[in-house]
Amino acid sequence: MTRLLLPLAGVAIFATSCSHRLNSYEDLLHGDPATLAQRAPADELAITYLGVNGYLLQSGDTAILVDPFFSRVSMRDVVFKAEAGSRPEDLAYGITEGAIPHQVDAFLITHSHFDHALDVPALQKQLGGVVIASETGVAICEALGTPRGRLRRSRPGDVHQVGGATIRVLAAHHDLVLGKVPFQGCYEKPPATPLRLDQWLLGTPLAYVIEIGGKRVYLESGGVAGHPPAAKDVDLAIVGAAPGDRDGRYEEAVRAMNPRFVLPSHQDWFFNPVRSGFHFSPLANFPEIRAIHTVNELPGRLLLMDYFHAWRVP
Ligand SMILES: [Zn+2]
């Protein structure tokens, strides 16, 4: 992993001089600060961006959290395989700024790398709800104290009914990061804790189609070309775009789904503290994504969301 991260660190240092923020794209930004937004009634859907690949979906009394990650770690911690866990002050910040209800119905984990799963056990303890995840994600949460009765070990094809939401589990793939998938592997049983950052193993990547508030939302954290999502005609497609449109994968995914709206996800530099706000990752290439939408006439309206902003999906 060190071999993978050292070049990445070089890219990061280079990128600080030209890194850009969301305010270059005012015309694409959707949503209002979550602390000022009104809750959506049961026949509507509000979606709040929580950073990295984290989202709150709220409709009436139903609240679902996807990949919430507030207790950020430095790249140095990853390179040196530090042990890391949730920090109460970061969780409190995320809950307040995201206006996350004090009780939620479910957590969905797309895969169990630290930037998707690290805060789930501590948040579940605080906010309740069930955890829908792969066998590996479930094993990690159990190791970190999530009660077994709250864990839903999930595979592609499974369907969960949670509050007013129907959640379909789809197969997914992990992005290639500088040519390889990091921290691969699975747990069949709860691993010994504490976990080093490289022990948050990938497990089986999953994507979800969530029917909630009269809308259909597709949500993933990434993928590879040649494996388009098995979802069609969604209202909102949240498409992992951490490596830009690698090998045409982003375009393929969007075309397959024919969405009304498209939100590229996981484009931010998640080694920053959550309080420092959205900065594009040096590996993301949003100008290219935007150009593909325009030049290749992709279906769906492209949008962006800032940290802790909530948007009522029309
Ligand atoms: Zn990952």
Side-chain angles (χ1 to χ4, degrees), residues 9 21 25 30 45 48 72 82 85 118 132 169 172 198 222 241 247 251:
R21 300 189 61 163
Y25 304 108
H30 282 59
L45 167 64
T48 303
R72 304 285 181 85
L118 186 140
I132 293 169
V169 184
D198 63 317
D247 302 326
E251 176 167 354

Side-chain angles (χ1 to χ4, degrees), residues 204-218:
T204 303
L206 301 173
Y208 300 96
V209 170
I210 307 155
E211 289 170 17
I212 179 172
K215 301 288 188 295
R216 267 161 65 80
V217 178
Y218 169 83

Side-chain angles (χ1 to χ4, degrees), residues 111 113 115-116 174 182 202 266:
H111 64 277
H113 283 157
D115 54 321
H116 301 260
H174 194 280
L202 173 69
H266 211 329

Side-chain angles (χ1 to χ4, degrees), residues 187-211:
Y187 294 115
E188 290 166 11
K189 285 187 281 187
T193 57
L195 292 173
R196 297 190 318 265
L197 288 167
D198 63 317
Q199 291 174 317
W200 291 80
L201 298 180
L202 173 69
T204 303
L206 301 173
Y208 300 96
V209 170
I210 307 155
E211 289 170 17

Side-chain angles (χ1 to χ4, degrees), residues 24-222:
S24 327
Y25 304 108
E26 298 267 357
D27 54 323
L28 300 180
L29 283 173
H30 282 59
D32 301 305
T35 49
L36 304 177
Q38 292 205 336
R39 292 272 154 89
D43 58 350
E44 294 191 40
L45 167 64
I47 183 154
T48 303
Y49 181 45
L50 305 174
V52 196
N53 201 52
Y55 297 90
L56 166 68
L57 280 70
Q58 179 271 321
S59 174
D61 292 333
T62 303
I64 295 171
L65 283 168
V66 183
D67 289 354
F69 177 49
F70 306 127
S71 304
R72 304 285 181 85
V73 299
S74 66
M75 185 186 277
R76 188 177 190 283
D77 286 342
V78 180
V79 170
F80 290 101
K81 301 178 180 175
E83 288 170 0
S86 292
R87 288 184 298 269
E89 64 274 22
D90 288 334
L91 299 186
Y93 179 84
I95 289 169
T96 302
E97 293 300 309
I100 294 172
H102 292 298
Q103 192 152 9
V104 305
D105 296 280
F107 292 82
L108 311 187
I109 301 177
T110 59
H111 64 277
S112 38
H113 283 157
F114 65 85
D115 54 321
H116 301 260
L118 186 140
D119 278 331
V120 171
L123 285 170
Q124 192 282 333
K125 193 172 182 184
Q126 204 171 327
L127 306 174
V130 298
V131 177
I132 293 169
S134 70
E135 180 178 46
T136 297
V138 161
I140 290 175
C141 289
E142 189 178 344
L144 291 166
T146 308
R148 265 191 199 178
R150 293 289 180 171
L151 295 168
R152 304 277 183 273
R153 184 177 291 118
S154 300
R155 289 191 299 202
D158 289 354
V159 181
H160 300 275
Q161 195 67 46
V162 176
T166 303
I167 298 159
R168 293 171 204 286
V169 184
L170 305 182
H173 291 77
H174 194 280
D175 289 331
L176 298 176
V177 182
L178 301 177
K180 60 182 278 192
V181 176
F183 307 143
Q184 294 186 65
C186 294
Y187 294 115
E188 290 166 11
K189 285 187 281 187
T193 57
L195 292 173
R196 297 190 318 265
L197 288 167
D198 63 317
Q199 291 174 317
W200 291 80
L201 298 180
L202 173 69
T204 303
L206 301 173
Y208 300 96
V209 170
I210 307 155
E211 289 170 17
I212 179 172
K215 301 288 188 295
R216 267 161 65 80
V217 178
Y218 169 83
L219 213 152
E220 59 160 39
S221 53

